[in-house]
Amino acid sequence: MAERPIIDVRGVWKRFGDVEVLKGIDLAIAKSEVTCIIGPSGSGKSTLLRCIAFLEEYSEGEIYIEGELLGFSLENGKRRRVSDAEVARVRRNVGFVFQQFNLWPHMTALENVAAPLKLARGIAREDAEKRARRMLEKVGLSHRAEAYPSQLSGGQQQRVGIARALAMEPHIMLFDEPTSALDPELVGEVLQVMRDLAGEGMTMAVVTHEMGFAAQVADTVVFIDHGVIAASGSPQQVFRHEENPRLRQFLQNYF
Ligand code: ADP
Ligand code: MG
């Protein structure tokens, strides 16, 4: 039997009041697979990632992370919100990288990576800093460990953001438009770090407008439109986009 997907999204709906943002999303991501999520602005891409990280509570359906139901328990078919501690346990191995880097301005790169290890994981300072140095090295920033965010380029700041997420030793990395806030000449260095990560077998879901990256790195490309998965498949399949007029129209902006 095939291995269970590491992320398994089944029939997920998300509503904000009366607004239906996700309308029955089914998405399975296998271990070490890279899934790129594309689609127009406002189609629900961020909301989907945020639901997978339980930064948003999904309204209906199920999300399993490494086989465990996220956020809820099912008793006699009834869904019940579990405790925050239980949520934290299930999503412990999920790392998140945002479009905005969200670094602490008064801390060095090293401290930005080490602080969550101390605060969230209770790791002693010396060990946390050792691990933080290793992670900065991984993203090519050993030489900038003592720099403050304001002294770093946007690309370097985002690489610190990635190092910070990796320091928590996630099994899954979620990226929400990680290069969209960057000047064009800085996009490549961040994509290279992500490419390396994919090469090491990290399971990744990446919301991106970088179609070259998606074509090259993704195992699966998912096109979200108005809260539904309107197309999915290998990059070759999706980028050929013969049948779906919405997808064809969307891709015209890129190719
Ligand atoms: P995308 O990332 O694809 O651009 P989003 O997931 O951010 O799209 O948003 C999808 C839709 O959900 C948008 O119409 C947005 O206005 C709406 N939305 C997102 N977050 C909220 C919220 N907290 N409250 C109300 N509506 C929201
Ligand atoms: Mg978004």
Side-chain angles (χ1 to χ4, degrees), residues 194-211:
M194 294 168 63
R195 205 175 282 126
D196 293 345
L197 206 54
E200 290 169 17
M202 179 62 80
T203 307
M204 296 166 44
V206 184
V207 173
T208 188
H209 296 283
E210 295 294 332
M211 297 302 157

Side-chain angles (χ1 to χ4, degrees), residues 151-196:
Q151 300 168 318
L152 298 171
S153 72
Q156 290 175 329
Q157 289 184 59
Q158 188 57 298
R159 282 148 68 198
V160 174
I162 294 172
R164 180 178 52 184
L166 291 176
M168 308 297 269
E169 300 183 325
H171 300 170
I172 298 158
M173 284 284 281
L174 308 177
F175 294 86
D176 192 0
E177 300 199 27
T179 61
S180 292
L182 299 176
D183 292 334
E185 73 271 21
L186 303 176
V187 167
E189 65 190 62
V190 172
L191 293 180
Q192 187 55 48
V193 167
M194 294 168 63
R195 205 175 282 126
D196 293 345

Side-chain angles (χ1 to χ4, degrees), residues 26-177:
D26 291 300
L27 176 65
I29 303 180
K31 191 165 159 33
S32 296
E33 256 193 25
V34 177
T35 298
C36 284
I37 299 167
I38 63 172
S41 177
S43 58
K45 305 179 299 297
S46 293
T47 303
L48 174 59
L49 274 202
R50 292 173 60 79
C51 285
I52 294 172
F54 215 69
L55 300 170
E56 300 284 357
E57 203 171 298
Y58 49 104
S59 312
E60 244 179 80
E62 288 123 53
I63 298 177
Y64 294 88
I65 306 285
E66 299 182 284
E68 292 201 87
L69 182 59
L70 174 66
F72 301 96
S73 64
L74 288 174
E75 289 149 30
N76 308 321
K78 257 199 124 123
R79 212 163 169 269
R80 199 145 145 198
R81 173 79 155 77
V82 297
S83 69
D84 290 346
E86 176 61 11
V87 170
R89 187 184 66 76
V90 174
R91 68 154 177 226
R92 186 182 161 94
N93 297 324
V94 180
F96 206 112
V97 174
F98 301 88
Q99 178 177 337
Q100 297 305 329
F101 325 125
N102 303 316
L103 300 180
W104 288 296
H106 60 290
M107 288 187 190
T108 64
L110 184 78
E111 289 163 350
N112 265 282
V113 179
L117 291 173
K118 294 186 274 188
L119 296 171
R121 295 283 154 94
I123 294 175
R125 180 166 159 229
E126 201 175 315
D127 292 340
E129 289 186 357
K130 223 184 268 168
R131 197 193 289 181
R133 276 188 204 284
R134 261 203 333 271
M135 294 303 135
L136 286 175
E137 191 180 336
K138 205 174 162 70
V139 300
L141 285 176
S142 319
H143 62 299
R144 303 298 277 143
E146 312 307 330
Y148 287 88
S150 62
Q151 300 168 318
L152 298 171
S153 72
Q156 290 175 329
Q157 289 184 59
Q158 188 57 298
R159 282 148 68 198
V160 174
I162 294 172
R164 180 178 52 184
L166 291 176
M168 308 297 269
E169 300 183 325
H171 300 170
I172 298 158
M173 284 284 281
L174 308 177
F175 294 86
D176 192 0
E177 300 199 27

